[in-house]
Amino acid sequence: QVQLVETGGGLVQAGDSLRLSCAASGRTFGGHTMAWFRQAPGKEREFVAAIMWSKGSTYYEDSVKGRFTISRDYAKNTVYLQMNGLKHEDTAVYYCAVRAGTYNPLSGGYEYWGQGTQVTVSS
């Protein structure tokens, strides 16, 4: 079975940067979509970014375009989310998710989720 473990969250000031990591295991991920979602207290879960594991195509939610970068390391089976220029509104628990298929990453279908890592942006 697929296991996802997110790390890298923390407390930072507005304008700072963080890099989140999602260590994936349990299978090979060719033909899969790897994505980051986030959820703030009292808010709905929100799509952040996605990457096609094999092709490397990336997709971003509008509010993070130009600030966040999703990438993957084949050797480490790890997906990253580099977050620059963090804003207070980026505060949320960030989750890694995996889905079979390379269709529209915003269309859902994610079945595997990590435990989440907290990102808190002050000021």
Side-chain angles (χ1 to χ4, degrees):
Q1 56 277 306
V2 173
Q3 301 290 327
L4 305 173
V5 180
E6 305 99 329
T7 57
L11 173 62
V12 298
Q13 298 185 68
D16 284 353
S17 297
L18 281 174
R19 189 178 76 160
L20 307 183
S21 298
C22 172
S25 62
R27 67 180 301 163
T28 57
F29 297 98
H32 284 67
T33 302
M34 317 290 281
W36 288 95
F37 291 80
R38 65 187 180 186
Q39 186 168 28
K43 301 292 185 179
E44 296 182 348
R45 184 188 65 190
E46 177 186 36
F47 171 83
V48 177
I51 186 167
M52 305 301 175
W53 183 255
S54 59
K55 296 189 296 183
S57 304
T58 58
Y59 305 83
Y60 298 94
E61 193 275 325
D62 287 343
S63 69
V64 307
K65 288 180 180 177
R67 298 189 298 122
F68 292 9
T69 303
I70 187 171
S71 62
R72 80 270 201 247
D73 186 317
Y74 293 111
K76 296 181 179 180
N77 279 351
T78 299
V79 179
Y80 302 98
L81 185 68
Q82 178 67 46
M83 305 185 294
N84 298 327
L86 283 163
K87 304 175 180 179
H88 178 68
E89 51 263 45
D90 295 318
T91 296
V93 177
Y94 284 70
Y95 297 93
C96 183
V98 178
R99 179 202 73 191
T102 58
Y103 49 94
N104 183 3
L106 279 69
S107 64
Y110 296 93
E111 294 189 347
Y112 302 99
W113 299 82
Q115 83 287 352
T117 186
Q118 176 72 48
V119 173
T120 303
V121 184
S122 65
S123 182

